[in-house]
Amino acid sequence: PYTLRQKLGGRLDTFLGSKLLYGANFAVRAETFSRIHGYDTRLGPGTRWPSSEEADLCWRIITHGVACRYDSSVAILHPPMHGADTRVAARKARLYGLGKGALAAIWLFEKHHRYGLFEYLEMTVLPVVNILRGVLRGDFRQLRIQPAQWWGRQVGFWTYPFRRDRATAP
């Protein structure tokens, strides 16, 4: 499992259940993909907001009432969340954080949906929890990674709404 939530499992048709889809571990029918207008091109690799395209896609699937199913037996190979080099891991966490912050801003300010607020609250609190968890487990790398992630998320959230070059949503 790529994340702790994937180890826990759960229903996909909820906000918390949507966290099971991180790491490209899902398949979408072509007609569903077309119906929800595919990925939001403002999010993901190669954009100013280089992550969270999968979460956005999942949330649009859920809010369109499409049936979803989680199959824990499906194995997806994905690089570790954080590599051995803490400096590189912190940079990656900050960049992923930018996308997550933009995602929360899109869903809160553009779509006026509670998922944006839920994500903002979670993305603000969870890095603090992970710092404490890291200290208790002796994983002191988290003292560098989690603040970078928190900062990236806040920058993404608070700068996204004021960008003049925002494209229109799908």
Side-chain angles (χ1 to χ4, degrees), residues 65-81:
V66 176
C68 301
R69 187 173 67 89
Y70 180 68
D71 183 351
S72 61
S73 69
V74 175
I76 302 297
L77 299 177
H78 194 288
M81 192 177 304

Side-chain angles (χ1 to χ4, degrees), residues 24-166:
N25 64 338
F26 58 92
V28 179
R29 288 190 170 121
E31 56 271 11
T32 299
F33 194 75
S34 178
R35 184 170 133 205
I36 64 169
H37 306 291
Y39 283 106
D40 184 334
T41 57
R42 300 173 293 178
L43 299 169
T47 71
R48 180 173 178 80
W49 319 104
S51 72
S52 298
E53 72 283 0
E54 296 163 337
D56 176 71
L57 184 75
C58 178
W59 291 355
R60 286 187 288 119
I61 289 170
I62 291 169
T63 57
H64 277 81
V66 176
C68 301
R69 187 173 67 89
Y70 180 68
D71 183 351
S72 61
S73 69
V74 175
I76 302 297
L77 299 177
H78 194 288
M81 192 177 304
H82 303 297
D85 185 333
T86 305
R87 193 172 73 225
V88 172
R91 183 177 186 282
K92 177 181 175 182
R94 184 182 59 77
L95 289 173
Y96 274 46
L98 287 172
K100 186 173 282 282
L103 171 73
I106 287 168
W107 279 78
L108 185 61
F109 301 126
E110 290 180 9
K111 296 180 185 283
H112 308 286
H113 196 280
R114 67 184 180 275
Y115 283 7
L117 177 61
F118 293 166
E119 189 68 26
Y120 178 75
L121 294 173
E122 181 186 70
M123 72 182 207
T124 300
V125 172
L126 205 53
V128 176
V129 170
N130 284 336
I131 288 171
L132 296 173
R133 192 168 156 241
V135 168
L136 291 174
R137 297 174 117 195
D139 183 4
F140 298 108
R141 294 171 0 108
Q142 299 305 316
L143 295 175
R144 187 168 193 175
I145 294 168
Q146 296 300 322
Q149 186 173 61
W150 185 89
W151 183 250
R153 290 171 174 185
Q154 297 304 315
V155 168
F157 182 81
W158 293 107
T159 61
Y160 176 84
F162 302 104
R163 296 285 305 167
R164 295 184 194 275
D165 61 348
R166 289 181 300 154

